[in-house]
Amino acid sequence: MKSAVILLTLYFAGAYSQQSCDHPPKDWCSSWEIAKACKVEQQCIDYYSHKDLKKSNEPPVQVEVYYESYCGGCRKFVLLQLFPTWLMLNDIMNVTLVPYGNAQEKNVSGKWEFTCQHGPDECYVNTVEACVMHHLKNIESYFLVISCIEFSSNLTSALEPCLAAYEPELAVKTVMDCVNGDLGNKLMHQNAMKTDALNPPHEYVPWVVINGKHTDSLQERATSALFNLICEYYSGPKPEACSEKEVTPLKRNNVCLA
């Protein structure tokens, strides 16, 4: 099956596709836009998870992404690199998302207060995403919701429609109780500590760590051709998708400096 680097440009513009499915079944998983139009998003994830992959004891490639929800460069990285790569290669990679980025925290009377680079709305959405991850736990569930939020035109109001579309069993109230309560505060403090513990310290976001390492070279490769990098780093039997070499470059200046 011909694979493509999946461009979620309609999401990034905040427009959700309303078109009917006028594509033949063989093309349903060729792009995320088509998968969404044909309402087979989860089936496509399952397809790429199991297609022609030999069982291996080799560990998956570990990918950690430190980001902030309102950073344009972060959103483009998820749009053009991380999500489509994960969609096709999720059996050979583990993704950890850490929403915090260039924020700052201080302890005020026993509670953490956060100041975010792009203002209070960013702090709010960072916490929403942390709470969604906490409650859904499994990336196969929460990555769809996080991606939906990140590619919305109005991030602060995206939670309800994104949960309705992808995880309707998780109540908006459950997430908001986390966001507004001690749990959300704790989760964001944990993300702050993870981010502050980076070695070397992050200088911008998105900040990508591959198998526990960050170098300028790895960052450059991850943000220009993550798909190829994951295929190269995985030491087990390669999935068929790795024979494809289509990538979408992300310019290095699409970052948010610390």
Side-chain angles (χ1 to χ4, degrees):
M1 176 181 181
K2 182 180 179 181
S3 64
V5 171
I6 298 151
L7 304 178
L8 303 184
T9 51
L10 289 180
Y11 275 111
F12 204 70
Y16 294 92
S17 175
Q18 301 298 321
Q19 67 188 44
S20 61
C21 182
D22 55 359
H23 304 276
K26 68 182 180 65
D27 292 335
W28 282 356
C29 294
S30 64
S31 81
W32 189 246
E33 180 185 350
I34 293 174
K36 182 172 176 60
C38 297
K39 303 184 185 304
V40 292
E41 301 100 314
Q42 187 61 54
Q43 291 89 332
C44 289
I45 290 174
D46 294 340
Y47 175 84
Y48 279 116
S49 294
H50 304 292
K51 186 177 185 292
D52 298 328
L53 183 65
K54 299 177 182 178
K55 297 298 181 181
S56 172
N57 293 324
E58 296 298 324
V61 181
Q62 304 296 320
V63 181
E64 301 166 46
V65 180
Y66 296 80
Y67 72 102
E68 56 197 24
S69 57
Y70 271 65
C71 171
C74 298
R75 298 173 75 184
K76 289 179 182 179
F77 174 70
V78 174
L79 168 67
L80 299 178
Q81 295 290 337
L82 184 62
F83 189 87
T85 297
W86 174 81
L87 178 64
M88 292 185 283
L89 300 178
N90 59 76
D91 262 356
I92 66 169
M93 64 186 293
N94 284 339
V95 174
T96 300
L97 299 172
V98 184
Y100 183 77
N102 298 325
Q104 301 291 326
E105 67 170 0
K106 63 179 179 179
N107 193 311
V108 179
S109 302
K111 185 174 182 179
W112 295 100
E113 293 186 358
F114 303 96
T115 302
C116 294
Q117 185 171 26
H118 299 94
D121 283 350
E122 181 170 75
C123 286
Y124 166 75
V125 177
N126 286 348
T127 310
V128 166
E129 294 184 0
C131 288
V132 166
M133 293 181 210
H134 173 79
H135 282 294
L136 291 178
K137 303 186 186 306
N138 191 321
I139 192 169
E140 281 77 11
S141 299
Y142 69 67
F143 204 175
L144 292 170
V145 179
I146 300 302
S147 297
C148 176
I149 293 172
E150 283 297 312
F151 304 141
S152 298
S153 59
N154 188 337
L155 277 70
T156 58
S157 63
L159 175 63
E160 185 171 359
C162 289
L163 285 180
Y166 296 111
E167 289 295 331
E169 293 184 3
L170 177 59
V172 173
K173 183 180 184 302
T174 300
V175 177
M176 293 310 300
D177 285 347
C178 170
V179 171
N180 296 320
D182 292 339
L183 178 56
N185 195 254
K186 176 183 177 181
L187 293 173
M188 290 311 301
H189 176 55
Q190 291 174 349
N191 285 352
M193 291 192 296
K194 290 177 183 177
T195 304
D196 291 344
L198 284 168
N199 185 18
H202 84 285
E203 301 173 1
Y204 48 80
V205 287
W207 188 263
V208 184
V209 178
I210 305 293
N211 285 345
K213 296 182 180 180
H214 175 94
T215 65
D216 288 345
S217 176
L218 278 175
Q219 176 80 19
E220 187 70 30
R221 295 186 63 195
T223 54
S224 63
L226 181 64
F227 182 91
N228 288 358
L229 182 64
I230 299 304
C231 288
E232 177 185 325
Y233 264 58
Y234 184 62
S235 56
K238 312 291 185 185
E240 182 181 327
C242 284
S243 64
E244 305 287 347
K245 295 299 181 183
E246 296 181 70
V247 297
T248 302
L250 180 66
K251 295 180 181 180
R252 179 63 181 273
N253 61 0
N254 283 318
V255 299
C256 292
L257 297 174

